[in-house]
Amino acid sequence: MTEKEFWHFLERAWKKGRVSQVSGIIDSPDAEMQTAGEYIGGHALLPKDYDKITEEEIVRISKLLFKKGVRHKTKEAVLMILAHRGSKEALIALKNYSKLSDKGLEIFAELALTECEMWNEKERD
């Protein structure tokens, strides 16, 4: 999947709506707190039916994390989608990416991995 194909995929998914969320702004001189606020705001990217994205698509989407030249905003959107999947494929991709995440996405990747681990635990219950 290319970056352009990913955004077309997401735009089609948004036609069914997006996940409802409460949002706010964290204005902090602390870079980690600022990134955490951006991560929380990133939930606005989730399509309403994110849980219906096929595992095949999850695998294709996750490959964007490892491609050179993919914009940070795209990788943030991919991380957000993967973070909300209780699947082995999403967890593996996030673990691998967290080990070598792009500069500036380290905290975002860590938060996504933590959230994915929680979803995976929930799926096992």
Side-chain angles (χ1 to χ4, degrees):
M1 175 176 287
T2 67
E3 188 172 9
K4 186 176 181 177
E5 289 170 333
F6 169 73
W7 285 108
H8 285 297
F9 165 82
L10 206 50
E11 288 169 2
R12 283 190 310 273
W14 288 338
K15 288 182 180 177
K16 296 178 184 174
R18 295 190 192 195
V19 170
S20 299
Q21 77 167 55
V22 175
S23 67
I25 296 173
I26 295 177
D27 187 18
S28 173
D30 182 327
E32 288 187 26
M33 285 298 294
Q34 192 69 33
T35 301
E38 291 168 10
Y39 182 81
I40 293 167
H43 283 75
L45 294 170
L46 281 174
K48 190 173 188 174
D49 293 337
Y50 69 88
D51 57 332
K52 293 190 176 46
I53 298 172
T54 67
E55 289 307 309
E56 180 180 292
E57 288 173 316
I58 290 297
V59 170
R60 291 179 63 225
I61 289 168
S62 68
K63 290 179 181 176
L64 287 170
L65 295 174
F66 306 97
K67 285 187 178 179
K68 299 276 187 212
V70 174
R71 296 175 300 148
H72 276 208
K73 286 295 177 192
T74 300
K75 290 187 178 188
E76 288 175 2
V78 169
L79 289 166
M80 188 59 58
I81 289 170
L82 296 179
H84 290 84
R85 293 305 299 249
S87 75
K88 184 176 108 177
E89 291 80 5
L91 187 59
I92 289 169
L94 289 171
K95 282 182 178 180
N96 289 335
Y97 182 70
S98 292
K99 293 175 190 173
L100 51 96
S101 55
D102 293 89
K103 186 169 175 50
L105 288 177
E106 303 92 346
I107 296 168
F108 210 95
E110 183 181 321
L111 292 168
L113 175 58
T114 300
E115 194 165 6
C116 185
E117 288 171 337
M118 290 187 311
W119 281 104
N120 271 274
E121 285 178 23
K122 184 178 178 183
E123 292 293 318
R124 282 183 270 183
D125 293 342

